[in-house]
Amino acid sequence: QVQLVESGGGLVQAGGSLRLSCAASGSTSGSSVMAWYRQAPGKQRELVASIDAGGVVNSEKSVKGRFTISRDNAKRTVYLQMNSLKPEDTAVYYCNYALYTYYGGERYENTYWGQGTQVTVSS
């Protein structure tokens, strides 16, 4: 299985920045999409941004222009650079790793989750 280790969360003042990292280990052979989700109290978990192996990015509208997702395939690590943080960004941020493997002409998807890292933005 794939194991994900997250880091970079913490307490930051509104307008500040944080950089989240998520390193994958284990059996990661195959194509993958790495993503960051977040879940705030009383809210459903939502996709923040995702990036595939080719660098194609999707991001949630509320974070466009503020958050940047990137990945280092050699290090098997995904990053989320968060700038201009707002109190509304306060949430537990979860790293997600979707691994696609191919066998016998079939595509298989396995999804893995990190433990989550708390991001708290104070006003």
Side-chain angles (χ1 to χ4, degrees):
Q1 292 186 333
V2 174
Q3 295 180 341
L4 304 175
V5 179
E6 303 177 22
S7 63
L11 175 65
V12 66
Q13 187 178 359
S17 299
L18 286 173
R19 190 190 192 199
L20 305 183
S21 298
C22 175
S25 62
S27 300
T28 58
S29 179
S31 62
S32 65
V33 176
M34 303 188 79
W36 289 97
Y37 287 74
R38 67 184 180 185
Q39 187 166 21
K43 302 288 186 179
Q44 295 185 353
R45 186 173 298 186
E46 65 174 355
L47 175 67
V48 178
S50 66
I51 183 168
D52 68 14
V56 177
V57 171
N58 290 304
S59 61
E60 202 273 329
K61 294 179 180 179
S62 68
V63 306
K64 286 184 181 294
R66 299 190 298 120
F67 292 7
T68 301
I69 189 170
S70 62
R71 66 187 288 169
D72 185 329
N73 291 328
K75 296 181 178 180
R76 299 191 297 180
T77 300
V78 63
Y79 306 93
L80 185 67
Q81 179 66 48
M82 303 184 293
N83 299 324
S84 301
L85 282 162
K86 304 174 181 179
E88 306 92 271
D89 296 318
T90 296
V92 177
Y93 284 70
Y94 296 91
C95 178
N96 176 271
Y97 189 98
L99 179 65
Y100 300 90
T101 57
Y102 299 84
Y103 185 79
E106 297 286 335
R107 188 178 79 169
Y108 300 88
E109 178 183 341
N110 291 290
T111 301
Y112 304 91
W113 292 93
Q115 294 295 316
T117 184
Q118 178 70 47
V119 172
T120 302
V121 184
S122 65
S123 60

